[in-house]
Amino acid sequence: MEDISTKSISILSLITDIIDNKKYNFNLPIQRRGNIWNKNENSLFIDSIIRLYPIYPALLNKHSDTKILDVVDFKQRFMCILSYVNNDFSLSRNLKPIVIENKEYEIAGKKFKNLDKIVQNRFYSRDLTVITMIDATDEEINEIFDRINMGHPLTNGHKRSTIENNELREVIYKLADHPFLKKTFTKSHRKRNIDRDIVIQILMLSEVNKEYDFGSFRNQDMNKFIIYYNNMLLNESTKEIVLSKIKMINKGLDILNTEFQDFETVKIKPTTIPFVCYGIYRIIKDNKSSENYLKWLHEFLNTYTENQEYLQYCNGSGTASSEMVKGRLDYFRKIIKEL
């Protein structure tokens, strides 16, 4: 790290730099996904801004060659500010009025556009403290981020993002944002990076063959797979094969999304989501009838709690073990073979 500085900057200036000047990068590998706060969390933060309550500093890393600012810490708060100014949500209805120059103004239940002008100006003119590092290395950023979050340790999934190369990270993000998978993931899944881990598990299942055994869904085996898959994408002789499999996975997700298009949520246990997606991938790969698979899938989901043959590989704390994972995989393989 070359240097570090601290300054105050108004929210209006921040918004201008983010939206108009494109100065901010929100996609550091270590970062959690944006927009994962619930309505109450968003409301309380906006309320704190307007009431001039203390807000801890944003932490940025500035690249001296490009002047781009990486957001190391404060991403959710920046996203909340941008979403509120964009009128994406209303404040909670139980917020108390705000007093400015001895006059009360209601803010409860209001979007930004509905706030009184004097309240909007208070919001825009609020100064935030910004700490800016200059040319911090990836290693320094990871260590600093870990120290900042000591009270709320990063999940293995968040840490795993740091070993994914850019191409693999983009694949994982795009698959995790597929409409069908979004129906199966809760906000808690996304907040804890479980959605990305499940996508990695789908990729792991797609790679299984006589020569390659990924081992298990335990943390160390998933990390090994990331390194393996990074190399597959970097190697020109294997990249085309990998991209072809990813294309089939996407096609399978499209089919599942069409089948469940009338559902706002699809209730599938996280331990089973990868195998449901693997199943449709194999159906496409083996040129089998997706109609037959979907018919079986509905029956499988409807009778899930009674299916002891399958559930024996889903219960307990060892569901990520090699034995449990291969038990679920063999169950789906058997069904696919019979279809």
Side-chain angles (χ1 to χ4, degrees):
M1 188 190 311
E2 293 297 324
D3 198 3
I4 189 166
S5 64
T6 303
K7 68 176 181 178
S8 295
I9 184 168
S10 72
I11 285 178
L12 181 58
S13 295
L14 280 168
I15 292 170
T16 301
D17 281 344
I18 292 170
I19 297 176
D20 296 335
N21 299 332
K22 310 294 183 185
K23 285 186 177 181
Y24 284 61
N25 169 37
F26 291 93
N27 297 316
L28 284 184
I30 196 69
Q31 268 290 2
R32 295 176 171 91
R33 179 172 286 142
N35 294 318
I36 59 175
W37 277 1
N38 59 37
K39 181 176 180 178
N40 185 55
E41 290 169 325
N42 282 320
S43 286
L44 288 177
F45 180 62
I46 299 300
D47 187 59
S48 294
I49 290 174
I50 297 171
R51 291 185 196 282
L52 306 182
Y53 284 0
I55 294 171
Y56 80 81
L59 179 61
L60 311 175
N61 180 44
K62 185 176 183 179
H63 297 267
S64 58
D65 54 345
T66 64
K67 309 303 180 186
I68 293 296
L69 295 160
D70 294 330
V71 178
V72 178
D73 197 46
F74 215 78
K75 179 175 180 176
Q76 300 304 324
R77 290 162 179 79
F78 280 144
M79 294 293 99
C80 176
I81 289 169
L82 294 174
S83 293
Y84 190 58
V85 170
N86 197 41
N87 299 300
D88 292 336
F89 66 91
S90 303
L91 297 179
S92 172
R93 293 189 176 278
N94 59 13
L95 294 179
K96 296 177 182 178
I98 182 80
V99 178
I100 302 176
E101 297 177 357
N102 298 318
K103 184 177 177 180
E104 278 194 355
Y105 297 91
E106 291 292 340
I107 63 173
K110 290 190 175 185
K111 291 186 176 182
F112 183 76
K113 65 181 179 181
N114 301 127
L115 294 175
D116 291 285
K117 193 69 177 177
I118 192 170
V119 181
Q120 289 182 349
N121 290 338
R122 164 76 72 91
F123 179 87
Y124 274 138
S125 62
R126 172 69 195 268
D127 282 341
L128 298 178
T129 301
V130 177
I131 300 172
T132 305
M133 304 178 290
I134 309 297
D135 293 328
T137 66
D138 290 345
E139 184 179 356
E140 287 172 330
I141 289 172
N142 291 343
E143 185 172 346
I144 291 165
F145 196 84
D146 277 343
R147 293 186 185 192
I148 290 171
N149 289 278
M150 280 191 291
H152 301 278
L154 294 177
T155 65
N156 288 326
H158 287 117
K159 292 177 181 178
R160 206 167 351 266
S161 296
T162 64
I163 61 173
E164 298 159 3
N165 65 25
N166 290 336
E167 193 162 5
L168 176 54
R169 194 177 305 117
E170 185 177 354
V171 167
I172 293 170
Y173 278 32
K174 283 184 177 179
L175 287 174
D177 284 335
H178 191 281
F180 174 74
L181 288 179
K182 277 189 159 183
K183 293 176 185 177
T184 68
F185 298 139
T186 65
K187 202 155 193 174
S188 175
H189 290 152
R190 291 190 290 273
K191 197 168 186 177
R192 292 181 289 144
N193 244 29
I194 290 175
D195 57 339
R196 295 182 199 167
D197 271 358
I198 286 174
V199 167
I200 294 168
Q201 291 166 8
I202 296 169
L203 296 174
M204 292 170 82
L205 293 172
S206 74
E207 282 296 304
V208 175
N209 56 54
K210 291 179 181 178
E211 288 76 36
Y212 179 75
D213 179 355
F214 58 78
S216 73
F217 286 167
R218 293 193 188 280
N219 186 52
Q220 63 270 25
D221 283 328
M222 290 185 69
N223 288 345
K224 287 178 184 175
F225 175 79
I226 292 297
I227 295 168
Y228 164 86
Y229 218 67
N230 282 341
N231 292 331
M232 292 283 282
L233 283 167
L234 289 172
N235 189 322
E236 289 301 322
S237 64
T238 55
K239 181 176 180 178
E240 189 175 340
I241 298 170
V242 168
L243 293 179
S244 174
K245 290 179 180 179
I246 292 169
K247 188 175 180 180
M248 283 189 278
I249 291 170
N250 256 312
K251 184 177 178 181
L253 294 176
D254 289 342
I255 291 171
L256 290 172
N257 189 52
T258 300
E259 181 67 16
F260 291 90
Q261 62 183 339
D262 296 329
F263 294 70
E264 287 188 12
T265 59
V266 181
K267 294 184 179 179
I268 306 176
K269 297 286 185 182
T271 50
T272 297
I273 295 171
F275 299 92
V276 168
C277 299
Y278 165 77
I280 192 67
Y281 157 78
R282 277 296 306 273
I283 290 294
I284 294 169
K285 185 173 182 290
D286 298 347
N287 292 314
K288 293 196 171 187
S289 168
S290 59
E291 186 178 342
N292 289 341
Y293 178 73
L294 294 171
K295 182 179 178 181
W296 170 84
L297 180 58
H298 280 290
E299 184 179 353
F300 171 78
L301 295 177
N302 290 334
T303 60
Y304 182 85
T305 56
E306 304 149 28
N307 190 344
Q308 293 306 314
E309 181 186 355
Y310 179 77
L311 290 179
Q312 65 179 313
Y313 301 112
C314 302
N315 297 325
S317 59
T319 54
S321 70
S322 176
E323 180 184 359
M324 291 290 201
V325 170
K326 285 179 176 134
R328 299 197 293 280
L329 177 58
D330 287 343
Y331 181 91
F332 271 78
R333 277 175 156 174
K334 178 183 174 185
I335 294 299
I336 293 163
K337 187 176 180 180
E338 294 172 351
L339 289 176

